[in-house]
Amino acid sequence: TDVMALVEEIQKGEPLITASCKEQVIHLIRRLQEKLGEQEDHKFYLFKVLRAHILPLTNVAFNKSGSRFITGSYDRTCKVWDTASGEELRTLEGHRNVVYAIAFNNPYGDKIATGSFDKTCKLWSTETGKCYHTFRGHTAEIVCLSFNLQSTLVATGSMDTTAKLWDIEKGEEAVTLRGHSAEIIALSFNTTGDRIITGSFDHTVAVWDVGTGRKLHTLIGHRGEISSAQFNWDCSLIVTGSMDKTCMLWNAMTGTHVATLTGHSDEILDVCFDYAGQRIATASADGSGRVYNAETKMCIAKIEGHGGEISKICFNPKGNRILTASSDKTARLWDAATGQCIQILEGHNDEIFSCAFNYKGNIIITGN
């Protein structure tokens, strides 16, 4: 990219970038170019095995810097860990059933939300482990949750067919999203925080207005249960994965169907955009993954080599690597452009169903 031309283009559309801060923007873009151009031959090695819980894990998540991570478990707790030392910092206790969905309020990372089969969501302090609020109102298990980027709301999706938005400051329910006819198992805020999508076993994805709780669009087209749904970074597109073996792209503003990405021979278990929204990765029960170009909708790489279904797939923040977790007891690292396997991460003795990169992209956690 021509840096000067890009900065001029940014200036045209953004009145806040005045002549006085133009130099700073130029510096930032040059730094970004350098970072993207860095050659990366980072090899991961097994650093620590954490016998985290007495019962299996459900999910793992990093804070933005990667200094802390959390694990949820069937043992009804969530544990907070120091990444550098592998030490357990605290145990968040209080749920009366499986702690299934967990998240930090990134980019801040000072709060943790836990969603449980006990039908409640709890909000905790990362530093002290104190429970700020217990959100009650769902009539069935909570299976997914997410903070908005502004860290003012936490959303929970439940087997009771509803999603709820909770006000973090007030500690109370802000709005209930009603309209699905079956369980909600995926939800995702857009970057600006004014929209949220919910994916359901009723084969549809709904787009909601966060402020009013009004349903704006229903994305109809899948012929099976939805497994995952996500906005791209600039909030223009939505990607959905389904048990019908397809992945679909939708216009986020109008709710219209843009494309169907086919090629898998079994259920799609996970889908994601890279941070720039240029590529889409899909993971399937057929044991393979695929990478698609979001603009051309073409499959640009196939991810093949796992000996079992791939339940989780994610890009590193830079977008040049893909991490997959599989039932074959391995996690693997792939080149996002070619689909070539760079590394096999071994050490687990059972299926891996959760994995994550830290923001810098130099640490991975895998959970089984």
Side-chain angles (χ1 to χ4, degrees):
T1 308
D2 179 332
V3 174
M4 301 315 283
L6 179 61
V7 171
E8 269 160 33
E9 200 181 313
I10 291 169
Q11 265 189 305
K12 274 185 212 150
E14 181 47 81
L16 288 174
I17 295 176
T18 53
S20 61
C21 59
K22 186 175 175 178
E23 281 306 309
Q24 206 179 344
V25 178
I26 292 167
H27 173 68
L28 277 172
I29 289 172
R30 287 209 170 117
R31 265 188 60 197
L32 186 60
Q33 278 189 333
E34 275 168 36
K35 211 165 169 50
L36 288 170
E38 280 169 15
Q39 282 311 304
E40 204 177 316
D41 49 3
H42 191 93
K43 277 277 188 273
F44 291 88
Y45 64 95
L46 182 57
F47 169 59
K48 277 222 162 68
V49 177
L50 308 171
R51 303 272 170 238
H53 294 269
I54 51 174
L55 288 172
L57 267 66
T58 51
N59 275 300
V60 293
F62 273 114
N63 65 354
K64 185 174 174 179
S65 70
S67 64
R68 302 269 185 277
F69 69 91
I70 49 178
T71 53
S73 169
Y74 280 85
D75 70 9
R76 308 180 174 194
T77 71
C78 172
K79 287 180 189 271
V80 186
W81 305 80
D82 178 85
T83 310
S85 66
E87 266 178 72
E88 183 187 318
L89 297 175
R90 58 192 55 85
T91 301
L92 308 180
E93 290 179 287
H95 280 296
R96 294 180 173 176
N97 209 327
V98 177
V99 173
Y100 193 74
I102 55 173
F104 278 102
N105 64 331
N106 290 338
Y108 307 101
D110 62 326
K111 294 185 182 73
I112 293 163
T114 55
S116 169
F117 286 2
D118 69 8
K119 309 171 193 173
T120 72
C121 169
K122 288 179 184 282
L123 188 71
W124 314 78
S125 160
T126 303
E127 277 319 301
T128 66
K130 175 179 172 255
C131 180
Y132 291 125
H133 304 297
T134 299
F135 298 125
R136 292 184 172 87
H138 280 298
T139 56
E141 296 89 336
I142 293 173
V143 290
C144 52
L145 61 76
S146 179
F147 283 97
N148 63 351
L149 266 184
Q150 295 71 23
S151 199
T152 54
L153 295 170
V154 64
T156 53
S158 167
M159 304 294 265
D160 67 11
T161 77
T162 72
K164 289 179 186 285
L165 307 183
W166 311 88
D167 185 303
I168 286 173
E169 273 308 300
K170 295 181 184 156
E172 59 192 39
E173 186 182 310
V175 72
T176 296
L177 310 178
R178 286 190 179 86
H180 282 294
S181 59
E183 300 90 328
I184 292 174
I185 61 112
L187 47 77
S188 169
F189 280 99
N190 67 353
T191 324
T192 47
D194 60 342
R195 301 273 183 276
I196 186 169
I197 49 177
T198 53
S200 168
F201 278 2
D202 68 10
H203 305 187
T204 72
V205 172
V207 184
W208 312 81
D209 180 280
V210 167
T212 62
R214 202 164 61 85
K215 194 199 283 191
L216 301 174
H217 309 293
T218 304
L219 312 183
I220 299 172
H222 279 297
R223 295 179 174 186
E225 297 165 358
I226 304 296
S227 56
S228 79
Q230 199 188 46
F231 280 98
N232 66 345
W233 184 255
D234 71 4
C235 317
S236 62
L237 289 172
I238 293 165
V239 68
T240 56
S242 165
M243 300 299 181
D244 68 8
K245 308 176 190 173
T246 73
C247 173
M248 290 190 181
L249 270 180
W250 313 78
N251 178 310
M253 294 315 295
T254 61
T256 50
H257 175 265
V258 176
T260 301
L261 311 178
T262 57
H264 283 293
S265 61
D266 207 340
E267 300 171 346
I268 290 185
L269 303 177
D270 198 21
V271 295
C272 65
F273 279 106
D274 67 357
Y275 280 59
Q278 293 167 339
R279 289 177 180 159
I280 297 152
T282 58
S284 171
D286 66 16
S288 76
R290 283 171 183 251
V291 187
Y292 297 87
N293 178 311
E295 208 167 327
T296 66
K297 327 292 186 283
M298 300 302 289
C299 176
I300 53 172
K302 287 180 184 174
I303 288 172
E304 291 171 327
H306 275 297
E309 64 178 39
I310 303 173
S311 58
K312 209 84 191 129
I313 193 161
C314 58
F315 286 91
N316 65 345
K318 204 162 149 183
N320 63 339
R321 297 284 180 265
I322 287 171
L323 175 64
T324 53
S326 168
S327 62
D328 69 6
K329 306 178 189 176
T330 71
R332 294 182 189 222
L333 200 64
W334 313 80
D335 183 297
T338 64
Q340 212 175 341
C341 182
I342 294 165
Q343 209 181 338
I344 300 173
L345 307 174
E346 294 175 303
H348 282 295
N349 55 11
D350 208 342
E351 64 181 276
I352 304 173
F353 45 81
S354 195
C355 61
F357 274 106
N358 65 340
Y359 188 68
K360 207 169 156 191
N362 64 342
I363 303 171
I364 287 168
I365 38 175
T366 55
N368 82 340

